[in-house]
């Protein structure tokens, strides 16, 4: 009865069936009470879970950022390693033009001495006969005809040095990389030349490429991929008696396909599927980290909008590994 009175007081007794007994009400209210308590409990739990979820989300975001930073650092350190490998070849390349600039300067210094001697004689009003004799003796005419080629040769050498330095700059600033138009054939040949020069063994190089192929892409990244592929090829041919490295460039299905082929050890067929996994390496500690292909694959597919694949080949008694890098001919048509 008490419950009924309470409901009446609260004005909630309207429309209640007359047979509704107080016992039933007590039970209903008890249940509602339980439900309410449960609801409050659920809400508290929900809030806790929500806070937990938020914490987990923040942690996940931080971990993702850390992973992204690490990946960037890995790319950078692998790039530095590529650069290190190139240095010996670059030093060799620089040596050539620098040494002929030196030789030319040396010759010009000698010429300058003879010129001064001849000019001094003229200023001292020597006789015509003496002047002619001096002219022959000092070989002034020969010097005159030599000066231009010497200067032109030196200019060419200086230009070659500045070109090499310019090409090297593409390795230095990864963040500011922007896609641009460049000659893929020249890049390919340059990379091979520099790395082959730095190798300890003599390697035959065969290029099957057009004269020039201009594409729009990230030159620095493409170069980094090529350095990795060529360096791997050179490593694989270390114990080969007649090492041969071939490159080929072909256009097919609106892509340009760059093939790097060696006649080295080849890749263990059972390991082919893990070739692009991070830290997969068969090289001794200190020689390889197993990141070259992993990073190259990421750069090829994500940055350069292309693909990278590997296989073994067996042809005309030759065998070894063949890597294929594809790049879009038209940047806008490629997925990115
Ligand atoms: N041309 C190749 N011929 C035979 N095996 C190869 C060739 N290229 C790659 N490999 C195999 O794939 C592995 C992974 O290559 P990857 O470039 O990723 O790492 P790495 O060369 O070992 O080390 P680094 O991080 O210095 O590049 C190599 O250790 C080698 O076993
Ligand atoms: Mg490598």
């Amino acid at each position: 009865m008490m419950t009924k009175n309470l409901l009446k007081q609260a004005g909630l007794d309207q429309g209640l069936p007359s047979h509704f007994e107080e016992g039933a009400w007590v039970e209903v209210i008890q249940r509602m009470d339980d439900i309410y308590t449960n609801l409050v409990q659920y809400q508290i739990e929900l809030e806790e879970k929500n806070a937990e979820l938020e914490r987990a989300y923040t942690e996940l975001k931080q971990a993702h950022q850390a992973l992204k930073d690490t990946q960037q650092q890995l790319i950078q350190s692998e790039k530095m390693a590529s650069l290190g490998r190139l240095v010996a070849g670059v030093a060799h390349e620089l040596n050539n033009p620098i040494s002929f600039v030196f030789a030319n300067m040396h010759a010009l210094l000698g010429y300058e001495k003879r010129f001064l001697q001849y000019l001094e004689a003229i200023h001292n009003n020597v006789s015509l006969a003496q002047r002619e004799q001096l002219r022959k003796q000092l070989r002034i005419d020969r010097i005159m005809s030599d000066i231009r080629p010497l200067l032109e040769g030196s200019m060419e050498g200086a230009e070659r040095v500045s070109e090499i330095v310019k090409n090297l700059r593409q390795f230095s600033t990864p963040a500011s990389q922007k896609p641009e138009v460049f000659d893929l054939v020249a890049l390919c040949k340059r990379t091979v030349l520099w790395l082959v020069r730095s190798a300890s063994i003599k390697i035959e190089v065969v290029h099957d490429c057009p004269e020039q192929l201009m594409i729009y892409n990230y030159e620095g990244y493409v170069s980094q991929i090529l350095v990795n592929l060529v360096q791997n090829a050179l490593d694989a041919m270390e114990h080969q008696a007649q090492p041969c490295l071939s490159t080929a460039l072909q256009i097919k299905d609106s892509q340009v396909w760059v093939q790097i082929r060696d006649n080295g050890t080849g890749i263990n067929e059972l390991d082919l599927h893990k070739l692009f996994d991070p830290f997969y390496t068969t090289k001794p500690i200190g020689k390889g980290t197993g990141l070259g292909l992993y990073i190259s694959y990421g750069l090829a597919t994500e940055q350069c909008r292309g693909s990278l694949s590997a296989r073994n080949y067996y042809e005309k008694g030759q065998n070894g590994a063949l890597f294929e890098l594809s790049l879009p001919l038209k940047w806008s048509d490629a997925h990115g």
Side-chain angles (χ1 to χ4, degrees):
M1 200 42 100
M2 203 176 81
T3 316
K4 236 178 189 171
N5 285 341
L6 278 173
L7 284 171
K8 203 171 178 178
Q9 274 173 23
L12 298 170
D13 62 334
Q14 300 298 317
L16 285 175
S18 55
H19 61 270
F20 218 82
E21 283 311 318
E22 186 171 346
W25 276 107
V26 170
E27 203 175 312
V28 168
I29 287 176
Q30 188 56 52
R31 287 231 187 120
M32 279 171 71
D33 235 21
D34 289 349
I35 290 170
Y36 180 73
T37 316
N38 281 345
L39 270 176
V40 170
Q41 190 56 36
Y42 285 150
Q43 192 178 359
I44 292 169
E45 277 174 22
L46 210 70
E47 273 165 13
E48 278 171 4
K49 288 268 181 287
N50 216 7
E52 231 170 77
L53 221 68
E54 254 172 41
R55 261 198 313 277
Y57 175 72
T58 316
E59 278 168 19
L60 209 71
K61 230 171 110 179
Q62 282 166 353
H64 183 230
Q65 189 55 45
L67 213 68
K68 262 171 63 183
D69 292 348
T70 313
Q71 196 188 21
Q72 205 50 46
Q73 278 165 12
L74 278 179
I75 293 180
Q76 181 62 9
S77 61
E78 183 59 26
K79 194 184 178 112
M80 286 296 122
S82 310
L83 187 60
R85 285 175 209 130
L86 281 175
V87 163
V90 172
H92 196 285
E93 269 300 278
L94 283 173
N95 216 18
N96 247 349
I98 287 176
S99 53
F100 73 70
V101 167
F102 256 127
N104 290 0
M105 290 302 156
H106 193 73
L108 285 170
L109 276 175
Y111 289 177
E112 189 223 13
K113 267 193 210 133
R114 289 200 247 163
F115 255 131
L116 286 178
Q117 198 181 338
Y118 185 60
L119 281 176
E120 208 172 278
I122 293 174
H123 289 158
N124 290 338
N125 290 325
V126 294
S127 70
L128 196 63
Q130 276 177 316
R131 202 173 82 190
E132 278 312 299
Q133 197 204 343
L134 202 59
R135 182 171 168 159
K136 275 205 187 99
Q137 188 193 327
L138 294 172
R139 287 196 272 179
I140 295 297
D141 295 322
R142 159 94 193 280
I143 292 179
M144 297 285 276
S145 60
D146 249 14
I147 284 182
R148 182 159 275 275
L150 282 179
L151 288 175
E152 278 174 358
S154 306
M155 278 293 278
E156 206 182 299
E159 273 162 16
R160 181 85 195 100
V161 169
S162 103
E163 197 186 314
I164 294 170
V165 171
K166 197 177 86 204
N167 289 332
L168 261 182
R169 275 216 308 261
Q170 77 202 25
F171 283 94
S172 57
T173 47
S176 66
Q177 286 258 12
K178 278 196 185 82
E180 58 193 337
V181 176
F182 66 93
D183 181 5
L184 184 60
V185 177
L187 177 68
C188 216
K189 287 187 174 169
R190 196 165 61 229
T191 309
V192 171
L193 178 78
W194 286 358
L195 286 171
V196 165
R197 283 268 164 83
S198 68
S200 50
I201 44 169
K202 193 162 164 36
I203 295 150
E204 183 192 345
V205 177
V206 181
H207 290 296
D208 179 10
C209 307
E211 271 289 289
Q212 193 185 53
L213 185 70
M214 303 306 288
I215 62 163
Y216 181 80
N217 212 308
Y218 291 94
E219 187 175 13
Y221 291 146
V222 176
S223 164
Q224 199 178 340
I225 298 168
L226 291 176
V227 169
N228 282 324
L229 298 183
V230 174
Q231 186 58 51
N232 282 346
L234 298 183
D235 290 345
M237 296 190 293
E238 209 179 359
H239 303 295
Q240 163 66 256
Q242 286 175 311
C244 177
L245 179 82
S246 341
T247 68
L249 240 85
Q250 276 173 9
I251 293 174
K252 203 173 58 194
D253 308 327
S254 37
Q255 304 272 320
V256 45
W257 297 84
V258 186
Q259 281 190 355
I260 309 280
R261 179 202 291 241
D262 63 65
N263 63 347
T265 55
I267 305 152
N268 185 342
E269 289 288 337
L270 295 174
D271 287 347
L272 262 174
H273 69 283
K274 42 185 174 177
L275 209 62
F276 297 101
D277 288 354
F279 306 112
Y280 168 73
T281 181
T282 54
K283 295 175 190 170
I285 294 170
K287 184 103 201 277
T289 56
L291 286 173
L293 287 179
Y294 166 69
I295 288 172
S296 298
Y297 186 85
L299 290 176
T301 55
E302 284 159 33
Q303 315 285 344
C304 304
R305 306 186 178 183
S307 68
L308 181 62
S309 62
R311 62 186 158 90
N312 287 313
Y313 76 92
Y314 308 90
E315 223 176 82
K316 296 178 204 147
Q318 289 270 33
N319 59 285
L322 193 162
F323 283 79
E324 215 166 15
L325 167 71
S326 84
L327 297 167
L329 267 182
K330 266 202 176 157
W331 186 250
S332 50
D333 290 350
H335 63 91

